[in-house]
Amino acid sequence: TMTTLLLVTMTSILLVTMTTFLLVTMTTLLLVTMTTLLRVTMTTLLHVTMTTLLLVTMTTLLLVTMTTLLLVTMTTLLLVTMTTLLLVTMTTLLLVTMTTLR
């Protein structure tokens, strides 16, 4: 009877201890694994998203800036060139006409 009681008590204690130990260990392991995985995933996702956003923004900005600059430069250059050419041509024509008429 004492042996049976001792055996049942020891088995119960061992079972409860092992179950508790396994539960605590597995929960801790799962928590650590999930936290690490989530952290790594979120960091990578954030990195990729921010890099892509920055790249798109900078490319668009550069494109708009360069196009505007080129347009303004070319328009100004064309205007100055055409005005100068017209002025020179008209002056020369006037001079030739006035000289011929004299």
Side-chain angles (χ1 to χ4, degrees):
T1 309
M2 281 308 285
T3 309
T4 306
L5 196 77
L6 198 76
L7 201 83
V8 165
T9 305
M10 289 310 290
T11 307
S12 291
I13 287 173
L14 199 79
L15 206 88
V16 165
T17 305
M18 287 312 290
T19 307
T20 307
F21 183 75
L22 201 81
L23 205 90
V24 164
T25 305
M26 288 314 290
T27 307
T28 307
L29 203 83
L30 199 83
L31 207 91
V32 164
T33 304
M34 288 314 290
T35 307
T36 307
L37 203 84
L38 200 83
R39 207 173 65 219
V40 165
T41 304
M42 288 315 289
T43 307
T44 306
L45 203 84
L46 199 85
H47 195 78
V48 164
T49 304
M50 288 314 290
T51 307
T52 306
L53 206 84
L54 199 84
L55 208 92
V56 164
T57 304
M58 289 313 290
T59 306
T60 306
L61 205 84
L62 200 85
L63 206 93
V64 164
T65 304
M66 289 313 290
T67 306
T68 307
L69 205 84
L70 199 86
L71 208 92
V72 163
T73 304
M74 289 313 291
T75 307
T76 307
L77 206 83
L78 200 84
L79 208 91
V80 164
T81 305
M82 289 314 289
T83 308
T84 307
L85 203 83
L86 200 82
L87 207 88
V88 164
T89 304
M90 290 313 287
T91 308
T92 307
L93 205 80
L94 198 82
L95 210 86
V96 164
T97 305
M98 290 307 287
T99 309
T100 307
L101 277 174
R102 272 181 146 198

